[in-house]
Amino acid sequence: MTTSKKTLLTCGPLIIDVMAQTGAPGNEHLGELIDYFRSEHDITLAPNGKHTTEKREVSDACAAAFKKCRFTTGLGGSSNNAAATLKRTMGDDIDVRFIGMIGAVPLQLRGLVDENLISDALKAAQINLISPTNLPPDAEAAVSYVFNPPDGNRSYLTYTGNSKHVFTPDTIPNLEDEVKNSDVVMLSGSTWEKVNPALADEIMRLRWKYGKEMILALPVYKRFAEEHSEKFKFCIPSANLVLANETELANIYMVDDPHEALEQLQKDFQKKQLEAEVREAKWHGDWYGKWTGSQKQLGFITFGKEGAYLVTADK
């Protein structure tokens, strides 16, 4: 029995991970760097914590410190990792198309980080890259500096590059056709936060216009999640699959108890079933097409030591 090949379209930051051991001999200056960020930039890198910045001087300070010690590199970004996992799992049954920008490696790291790291990793994962056109020469790659202590509780400081300023809907060739010709659209919170909110909004609008299935990954960062809580709660009832951990889900519903957030997610799924067979989708004050309410929905929420919860409208 053969199944027809599905096309998945996604978008997100393509991040270069630069990783170093903070407790290794000779790397004591990395601890001093963390103290400097706390005192001079009000950036606290807690164990297992994540922080984003658009300040180039912060990235330059990280790059200057990391180049003095042994580090490893790789391709990061939750959107890319999810796309690569789907491709590995489904193989030839899925065609993954990734809207992303390959910017220049930060000046401090040039010669130390392979300029082709991102493109080579995507090629190896069999992911098709859709690049913006007419990128300016100063387009910068996003970089995550990963502080890895002996206990394994990593801290991430991500410099987002300048994609928000150069990566717009107008720079993506045939964006409407890309959405129209896909079967599933996968969007993560990082698309709004780290890439360009106007681009994420336009992909969402086109997804509604053409009635495409959607995988929605909720944002990681609490500040961003709470600031845009209503937007994501509006998207959830029409998503086919919602991905999150317990903290991310609680941030969206702005509750302290993640189990209460699970109940809220189920109620949002029930909204879709209780409404009429056809649900009009309102997005930013305008009405865009129609959305059928017949598809099954699933929430996959990881819960630390509890494992994971599967949430549907019924249970």
Side-chain angles (χ1 to χ4, degrees):
M1 178 178 173
T2 60
T3 57
S4 58
K5 191 172 195 175
K6 299 290 186 181
T7 298
L8 179 138
L9 180 69
T10 188
C11 177
L14 292 168
I15 302 174
I16 298 172
D17 281 348
V18 182
M19 299 160 280
Q21 297 284 340
T22 55
N27 289 358
E28 292 83 3
H29 62 287
L30 294 182
E32 297 171 1
L33 181 65
I34 292 174
D35 293 337
Y36 163 74
F37 287 146
R38 184 183 301 111
S39 61
E40 299 298 323
H41 293 278
D42 196 27
I43 295 174
T44 300
L45 295 178
N48 289 321
K50 297 181 179 181
H51 189 93
T52 60
T53 181
E54 295 182 23
K55 296 180 180 179
R56 185 182 287 112
E57 62 267 30
V58 171
S59 176
D60 288 344
C62 277
F66 272 63
K67 69 187 294 185
K68 295 178 182 177
C69 55
R70 182 175 296 178
F71 63 83
T72 58
T73 60
L75 175 59
S78 58
S79 299
N80 162 70
N81 290 337
T85 299
L86 283 170
K87 182 61 181 177
R88 277 197 308 271
T89 303
M90 300 185 66
D92 292 337
D93 290 334
I94 190 170
D95 178 29
V96 178
R97 300 182 64 76
F98 194 107
I99 300 173
M101 184 187 87
I102 300 180
V105 173
L107 184 62
Q108 292 271 14
L109 295 175
R110 289 180 194 172
L112 299 174
V113 174
D114 184 359
E115 295 280 348
N116 298 316
L117 185 151
I118 293 176
S119 58
D120 288 348
L122 292 175
K123 189 179 296 183
Q126 296 182 301
I127 294 174
N128 301 297
L129 178 65
I130 305 166
S131 299
T133 55
N134 303 317
L135 281 181
D138 63 345
E140 299 173 311
V143 182
S144 275
Y145 299 93
V146 184
F147 298 80
N148 193 11
D151 63 9
N153 291 317
R154 295 178 172 182
S155 300
Y156 295 78
L157 178 58
T158 300
Y159 172 61
T160 57
N162 57 1
S163 61
K164 285 186 179 180
H165 308 290
V166 301
F167 202 0
T168 67
D170 294 336
T171 64
I172 307 302
N174 306 314
L175 177 59
E176 183 158 356
D177 287 341
E178 289 289 348
V179 177
K180 182 179 179 180
N181 295 329
S182 67
D183 296 294
V184 183
V185 172
M186 181 170 69
L187 282 177
S188 68
S190 60
T191 311
W192 278 272
E193 183 181 18
K194 297 178 185 176
V195 180
N196 186 300
L199 176 60
D201 283 352
E202 179 64 5
I203 293 173
M204 180 66 76
R205 183 186 76 83
L206 292 170
R207 171 258 170 172
W208 263 316
K209 178 179 179 179
Y210 292 106
K212 301 300 178 179
E213 294 184 14
M214 183 177 71
I215 300 172
L216 180 65
L218 299 183
V220 173
Y221 297 99
K222 182 175 183 179
R223 171 195 55 78
F224 185 82
E226 292 183 347
E227 184 179 345
H228 299 278
S229 171
E230 291 305 313
K231 171 177 285 188
F232 286 97
K233 283 192 287 187
F234 183 81
C235 296
I236 284 171
S238 73
N240 300 83
L241 175 62
V242 175
L243 302 173
N245 62 36
E246 76 274 27
T247 302
E248 293 161 356
L249 191 67
N251 290 341
I252 288 297
Y253 289 105
M254 290 189 284
V255 296
D256 294 327
D257 183 359
H259 293 88
E260 181 181 344
L262 283 175
E263 295 176 1
Q264 292 293 328
L265 176 64
Q266 186 176 52
K267 289 178 181 178
D268 274 347
F269 283 169
Q270 290 169 353
K271 284 180 185 178
K272 184 175 176 183
Q273 289 194 347
L274 293 172
E275 287 177 358
E277 185 69 15
V278 174
R279 176 181 185 270
E280 290 187 269
K282 189 176 182 182
W283 189 246
H284 280 194
D286 296 315
W287 293 92
Y288 292 107
K290 301 286 185 179
W291 180 251
T292 59
S294 59
Q295 291 96 336
K296 293 288 186 180
Q297 292 172 285
L298 179 67
F300 184 82
I301 314 299
T302 57
F303 249 74
K305 293 181 180 179
E306 293 185 40
Y309 283 88
L310 294 178
V311 181
T312 68
D314 304 312
K315 58 183 178 178

